[in-house]
Amino acid sequence: MQKLLFVCLTALLSATATASTRDAITAQADVPGATLRITIRESIDNRRVNELVEWLRAAATSVSAVSGRFPNPSPHIVVLPVRRHSRGGDSPVPFGRVTRNGEERIELYVNLDRPIEDYYGNWTATHEFSHLLLPHIGDRHKWISEGFASYYQNVLMARAGNYSQAEAWRYLYEGLERGRGSRPDLSLNEAAAAGIGQARMKIYWGGAAIALLADVTLRDRSNGAKSLDTVLGQLQQCCLPAKASWTGPRLFRKLDSLLEEPLFMGLYRQYATRPGFPDYQGIFNRLGVEIEADIVRLRDDAELAMIRDAITGALAR
């Protein structure tokens, strides 16, 4: 029954997209280092078009701030309008994906029944744009691409002012908790091999834990001079956009080559092939993030409070 429902829903969405192609609207939006080529697969009024374009510009600009420019100079953004109770229920942006088949293309399904203000509080576009910060990573190491995007969806939403700092750390913590409870019998590589259907939370949030550990470690040992942002900016300068798919070890070896002191392959060897989940709780304590019963307290006297604020707060913006 679930398979039949998925097939029918996919066919419905495809038919909707095909039928609306005749009335597609094209637009452009400039962000640092790039021009977004936008296609809206439905004829809608100019006010709504302008709202969508400005929302996409804002989401892409937040990703541009990681390194100073967007990682692809001319990405294709395809907006597929759906209605309430379509795929993803009532979410303002119920689904998104990145395809890399001759070009980097981001597809975003948007719920036109929701006001534009709701789009800014939704992380989907930020998550999908964040995928472009890395080359395509093959399915064997999918936890890296999905995990880094999951980390940045929270970090960048806070930097843009769409989340408060407390909200960003709570959402990140809740995601990491879901990941920790998912398939503790599997390593990250084994979770990727099992696939999204069997180990979704482990894949998305195990990789996010690695991104968090790497970011905090880089900032701590360099007294703020280095970060995950800076090393991904160096990767962008040398290697993006990338036409070929990379493996996880190839990516991590490349990131280590951009550092004076290696980090990423050490994390890979520690966590990628062993069951369990990366230890993020100690990092939260050092950052001064205390969460109990959905109440978030950010302690200014914590050892790494300045790093916490550099990641998600005014210093980052």
Side-chain angles (χ1 to χ4, degrees), residues 37-50:
R37 298 177 291 118
I38 302 166
T39 301
I40 302 172
R41 290 286 182 85
E42 186 173 312
S43 181
I44 56 179
D45 65 82
N46 288 338
R47 179 186 63 83
R48 192 62 161 170
V49 170
N50 291 335

Side-chain angles (χ1 to χ4, degrees), residues 159-234:
R159 293 181 190 177
N162 296 315
Y163 291 167
S164 68
Q165 279 203 75
E167 286 173 327
W169 288 108
R170 178 166 66 86
Y171 294 149
L172 184 58
Y173 178 81
E174 290 172 348
L176 294 171
E177 285 286 283
R178 290 193 295 272
R180 184 169 66 92
S182 170
R183 300 303 303 268
D185 56 312
L186 299 181
S187 69
L188 294 178
N189 284 351
E190 289 170 338
I196 295 294
Q198 298 296 317
R200 176 184 295 272
M201 293 297 104
K202 184 71 166 271
I203 292 169
Y204 278 71
W205 294 103
I210 297 296
L212 171 65
L213 294 175
D215 200 4
V216 173
T217 300
L218 287 169
R219 292 172 186 271
D220 187 26
R221 75 187 190 187
S222 69
N223 198 27
K226 301 288 185 180
S227 67
L228 190 57
D229 293 356
T230 61
V231 72
L232 292 185
Q234 291 174 272

